[in-house]
Amino acid sequence: MNTSSFAKLCLFLVLSFFIFHSSLLGQNQLSEEQKPNFIFIVVDDMRWDEFSAAGHPYLQTPHIDKLAKEGARFTHAYHVSPLCSPNRASMLSGQYPSTHGIIDNVARNKASHQLNLFAKDLQKAGYTTGHIGKWHMGNDPTARPGYDYWSCLPGQGRTLNPIFYENGAFDTISGYVTDVMTDKALSFIDNHKENPFFLYIGHKAIHPDLRQLDNGKADPNYPARFIPAPRHEGKYAGKNFEKRKNALNDYAAIDSQTVIGGTLVQKTKAENRIGRGDNLMDDFTRQSTIQARSEMLLAVDDGLGKILTYLKDHDLYENTFLVFTSDNGYFYGEHGLSVERRLPYEEAIRTPLLISYPKLIQAGSIIDEFVLSIDYAASFIELAGLPAKASIQGKSLLPLFQKPNEANWRTSFLVEYYSYENPMPWLINTDYKVIRSGDYKYIHWIRHPEKNELYNLADDPFELENLVKQKDKGPLIEELKKELVRLIAKAHAIY
């Protein structure tokens, strides 16, 4: 091939790629038929390893597993803040809590009406937008801007015969909350399948049934319990979940000199247990809790199966970008923890993340890059053909689907948490900033810097050996501190 022919071939390839890329992603190039549909499913409190394809020893989740097989499974997906309200706000705005301001589970009803939600951008771009289920950025269930259809659980919601706020009124619906939400989702998709739609499904499962007060406390007069669907109740009774090697089952084994050890000492004190029954404390997480959670998740799996079947039966599956994830993890006794959820260890900050979109994602893809809960918003915006939104602090995931080896992806990230007195007073003053850089995780306890922690997760995935006082780690720690400062500044940035 001579030089002229080669140059023409190169020009042809470049133009072809540009045309293809523009037709897929360009704002002015996407017709209504080309715009993908979006379904965003968020399960409450689901751990990253809490489905059978992720290695759960007895839980059977055929439809979640099928989604993983037909799409992409992410092995290093993380919450930017492992707590319900802050992280839900982060997922729906693409911002860190430092920026969007929903920093805890106190009812910030008015503030959550002012969030810069990406649903508003999709709505303006011609999408029909819907919210079903849990909002939980305040107990106020009234409609937030950006949604054409709004059917919301007040506060934490109720598992049996749930109440939904829809069309300006409350409606009590007979049945199991997960099944009711699935029916509502199928109805929304059926009613809007002729035009591009965005549907957010905020599951109540697998959270315990309790009533949360506006100050963030759990109502002590309302029994806290995990309630599976009647058809699943007892399915896993007596099953044993082999806990990770960092799990404890005795307060005598706690190192009281660490930040977490100190909080657990406080947890044992009578004044912190008054008004909280065994279910609210659930010391070290009982096997019966794990069994009930697993049984609750079966209804989520059933619902996902129905949605996938509907999409395929109506030729919508190929053109639907479906995200399945959670809002924070859960402890099964690791580090002596149980209901605390929000603390900086892997069991809390890692998330299950499965995404399917056959047009772009190769079936069975395994993606190992660091992905954050602020990245979903950027991905929806780009796939809708909209220009990048300056307020979004996350990154679109599309490069990881197209050319992952050339994605120039992040190698470090920040996780943050702001403590507050309710509902777990033993956790007061546990604010932290965490940096993960490569294999290393550095935990900076804002009010206890002398007790900071450093782990090499490649060698120590259970976070058992704190390396922070090893002399040879001094230069590494200084580099991590510098990068942490950079990431904190970025998370606080005004766009």
Side-chain angles (χ1 to χ4, degrees):
M1 181 182 296
N2 60 36
T3 302
S4 176
S5 299
F6 180 74
K8 290 178 180 178
L9 176 60
C10 290
L11 179 61
F12 171 77
L13 292 173
V14 169
L15 289 174
S16 297
F17 173 78
F18 176 78
I19 292 169
F20 169 77
H21 191 263
S22 297
S23 67
L24 181 64
L25 304 175
Q27 179 184 13
N28 299 318
Q29 301 297 323
L30 286 179
S31 66
E32 294 300 296
E33 292 77 18
Q34 289 174 315
K35 288 180 179 178
N37 302 307
F38 299 127
I39 299 177
F40 192 8
I41 301 174
V42 178
V43 184
D44 203 319
D45 286 2
M46 183 179 174
R47 286 167 57 116
W48 93 95
D49 58 355
E50 208 159 16
F51 59 104
S52 51
H56 195 286
Y58 58 76
L59 174 57
Q60 297 300 306
T61 50
H63 303 297
I64 297 174
D65 297 347
K66 187 175 181 63
L67 184 65
K69 185 177 180 180
E70 294 181 350
R73 179 158 70 94
F74 293 76
T75 62
H76 290 86
Y78 286 85
H79 308 290
V80 296
S81 186
L83 182 63
C84 292
S85 297
N87 200 36
R88 287 169 186 266
S90 291
M91 288 190 281
L92 293 173
S93 68
Q95 298 174 343
Y96 272 92
S98 299
T99 294
H100 62 60
I102 309 297
I103 60 172
D104 52 36
N105 280 358
V106 172
R108 300 179 188 276
N109 297 316
K110 293 182 180 179
S112 72
H113 277 271
Q114 302 298 318
L115 288 170
N116 197 344
L117 305 172
F118 70 81
K120 294 189 287 188
D121 302 278
L122 296 182
Q123 188 183 54
K124 291 176 184 177
Y127 277 78
T128 302
T129 57
H131 169 98
I132 295 172
K134 195 169 181 178
W135 173 254
H136 198 212
M137 284 165 266
N139 291 325
D140 166 25
T142 59
R144 268 58 174 182
Y147 292 93
D148 299 298
Y149 172 72
W150 183 266
S151 185
C152 187
L153 294 167
Q156 287 281 358
R158 197 164 69 189
T159 303
L160 300 176
N161 303 323
I163 300 170
F164 284 83
Y165 183 87
E166 185 173 337
N167 296 323
F170 291 97
D171 184 21
T172 300
I173 303 176
S174 298
Y176 187 71
V177 63
T178 309
D179 299 336
V180 172
M181 288 174 56
T182 296
D183 291 342
K184 286 178 173 286
L186 292 171
S187 178
F188 175 89
I189 296 168
D190 187 61
N191 290 335
H192 302 291
K193 62 180 179 291
E194 301 304 323
N195 295 300
F197 63 82
F198 165 72
L199 175 61
Y200 175 86
I201 304 172
H203 277 296
K204 161 69 176 174
I206 45 181
H207 197 281
D209 199 64
L210 54 79
R211 180 181 294 125
Q212 185 168 316
L213 306 176
D214 281 353
N215 64 6
K217 283 187 176 181
D219 184 346
N221 299 313
Y222 192 92
R225 58 198 178 106
F226 293 94
I227 304 176
R231 65 186 180 278
H232 298 135
E233 190 169 6
K235 180 177 176 64
Y236 295 129
K239 293 288 187 180
N240 184 68
F241 182 93
E242 185 176 350
K243 294 186 177 183
R244 285 157 61 85
K245 64 186 295 184
N246 53 351
L248 303 175
N249 59 12
D250 188 342
Y251 284 109
I254 300 293
D255 179 1
S256 62
Q257 299 307 304
T258 66
V259 172
I260 295 306
T263 67
L264 290 174
V265 169
Q266 294 299 314
K267 185 178 180 180
T268 65
K269 292 187 176 180
E271 63 264 28
N272 286 327
R273 303 182 78 88
I274 294 173
R276 295 178 174 85
D278 288 344
N279 287 344
L280 274 177
M281 303 303 276
D282 200 16
D283 300 294
F284 309 113
T285 309
R286 300 182 294 263
Q287 287 288 343
S288 58
T289 295
I290 302 173
Q291 294 156 13
R293 284 169 57 85
S294 298
E295 291 168 1
M296 284 187 77
L297 192 62
L298 293 176
V300 174
D301 189 72
D302 287 350
L304 176 63
K306 290 180 180 179
I307 291 171
L308 293 174
T309 296
Y310 183 94
L311 294 175
K312 292 176 180 179
D313 288 348
H314 292 80
D315 296 323
L316 297 170
Y317 182 68
E318 295 286 321
N319 196 41
T320 297
F321 185 77
L322 191 155
V323 177
F324 181 94
T325 188
S326 75
D327 62 346
N328 53 256
Y330 204 88
F331 290 106
Y332 285 170
E334 294 93 354
H335 308 283
L337 300 164
S338 59
V339 297
E340 286 80 9
R341 297 175 182 83
R342 61 206 72 193
L343 294 172
Y345 303 110
E346 294 294 284
E347 296 81 12
I349 68 174
R350 285 181 69 179
T351 182
L353 177 58
L354 308 172
I355 302 180
S356 70
Y357 184 45
K359 282 187 175 181
L360 189 61
I361 301 173
Q362 184 176 352
S365 298
I366 302 294
I367 297 178
D368 297 321
E369 281 78 11
F370 293 146
V371 168
L372 304 177
S373 52
I374 53 174
D375 294 337
Y376 311 140
S379 306
F380 290 126
I381 288 291
E382 184 175 3
L383 268 174
L386 299 174
K389 189 175 178 182
S391 64
I392 292 177
Q393 296 171 316
K395 300 176 66 170
S396 169
L397 300 175
L398 268 64
L400 298 181
F401 302 135
Q402 295 165 326
K403 292 185 177 181
N405 295 328
E406 303 174 21
N408 190 27
W409 202 250
R410 65 170 64 91
T411 58
S412 63
F413 63 88
L414 169 72
V415 179
E416 62 181 9
Y417 168 68
Y418 296 83
S419 71
Y420 63 114
E421 196 163 348
N422 298 322
M424 302 175 190
W426 59 93
L427 293 183
I428 194 66
N429 293 332
T430 54
D431 308 57
Y432 62 75
K433 305 284 186 181
V434 168
I435 179 174
R436 173 74 186 271
S437 181
D439 293 331
Y440 284 95
K441 177 198 282 189
Y442 181 68
I443 302 171
H444 173 57
W445 298 103
I446 293 175
R447 290 178 175 80
H448 310 280
E450 75 283 359
K451 296 184 179 182
N452 288 348
E453 299 171 34
L454 174 69
Y455 299 101
N456 182 337
L457 294 179
D459 297 335
D460 178 25
F462 301 103
E463 298 167 283
L464 293 170
E465 185 182 3
N466 183 4
L467 306 175
V468 79
K469 294 189 183 302
Q470 291 189 2
K471 291 183 179 180
D472 65 331
K473 295 296 187 292
L476 169 65
I477 291 172
E478 289 305 310
E479 287 301 313
L480 291 172
K481 285 180 178 179
K482 290 178 183 178
E483 179 66 359
L484 180 59
V485 168
R486 186 187 73 83
L487 293 174
I488 291 172
K490 189 175 179 181
H492 285 75
I494 303 299
Y495 51 89

